[in-house]
Every structure is written in C-alpha cells, then in structure tokens.
Amino acid sequence: KMSAAMDVEERERLGISKIAVPLADEKMMKRCYKLVKKAVDAKMSRRGIKEVVKALRKKEKGLLIIAGNVTPIEVITHVPILCEEQDIPYIYVPSKADLGLAGASKRPTSCMLILTPKPEAEYQELFDKVKKQIIKRTPTWDTTV
C-alpha cells in the first residue's frame, strides 16, 4: 500500500526515478489507469515514447501519463520538457507494467498521451477531473527571475 507521500526508500525499492515528479498517489493512480482504459477504448491515446513525441510535435493536445520506473530514465527525460513547452499536464505513475496493462497491452508502456476528448466523449468528465488534479499537483517555477 502506498502512502500519499512515498518515502525515498520506498521509491528506490520500486525503482521509481528521483525525477518522477509529480508522482500519483494510490487514488490518483487508479483514476489515471481508468482514464487510460477509457481513452484506449475510444481510440484517443498515443502509446510509447516515439508515438507520444510525434503527437506532441504535431501539436496534439491532452494529458500525459509517464511511468516512473523507466530505465534508463534518460530515454524519457525530454518528454516532460516538450509537455511544458506546450502546456500539456503530465503525471508519473509508479509502474510501466501497470500502465501497459491499463492500455490493453501485454507489453510495459513508458508513457501514454491521453488526447483531449471530442465533445460528448465518454471519458470527458474523468479527463477534466484528472487534468485539474494534475495541474494542482504540478510544481511551478517562476521563470521571471
């Protein structure tokens, strides 16, 4: 069971990188996986680094869910920067295996871009809720200094 603030030892035991911020707690993680399932069913997701980066370069909008236990972490460190440049909220979840399962894949998945739902999409309410909570948890840096 994960506590809201996972301690350093616990993160290391699970292989979660130090840069995985913000990291979803238990409740948020479940919401993220539920959103991934619904978006995949609606064919409104992009899976994996290559596909996600391509979508971001094409200016596709949505929110990004990243696995915090990707190794080496360097393969994914450029993705949050692309998100920040385009105002796309992102959150880390502890497990690439669980992210893959939620996305109906037998393979672990490093990241999933959930595309902004079309009007009347089944996952609209959940998308808005998760997006709002990610924005609330995301640290901001004052760039005016």
Side-chain angles (χ1 to χ4, degrees), residues 71-119:
T71 52
I73 197 67
E74 290 78 16
V75 298
I76 206 154
T77 48
H78 63 292
V79 179
I81 299 162
L82 291 172
C83 289
E84 286 168 17
E85 285 171 353
Q86 294 182 38
D87 287 324
I88 291 176
Y90 62 89
I91 193 160
Y92 288 85
V93 291
S95 166
K96 59 187 176 187
D98 290 347
L99 186 57
L101 281 173
S105 168
K106 290 178 178 73
R107 307 270 311 133
T109 302
S110 55
C111 57
M112 294 274 300
L113 179 66
I114 309 304
L115 301 175
T116 303
K118 292 182 171 83

Side-chain angles (χ1 to χ4, degrees), residues 31-101:
R31 276 201 185 121
C32 287
Y33 292 150
K34 191 175 172 184
L35 178 61
V36 166
K37 280 187 182 96
K38 287 182 180 243
V40 167
D41 288 346
K43 306 252 185 284
M44 291 293 285
S45 65
R46 301 287 177 262
R47 173 195 323 250
I49 300 166
K50 194 175 171 186
E51 217 176 292
V52 165
V53 169
K54 193 166 121 186
L56 293 174
R57 290 218 172 101
K58 287 180 172 177
K59 304 277 187 249
E60 290 185 16
K61 293 289 180 196
L63 62 86
L64 187 69
I65 299 167
I66 308 169
N69 66 342
V70 173
T71 52
I73 197 67
E74 290 78 16
V75 298
I76 206 154
T77 48
H78 63 292
V79 179
I81 299 162
L82 291 172
C83 289
E84 286 168 17
E85 285 171 353
Q86 294 182 38
D87 287 324
I88 291 176
Y90 62 89
I91 193 160
Y92 288 85
V93 291
S95 166
K96 59 187 176 187
D98 290 347
L99 186 57
L101 281 173

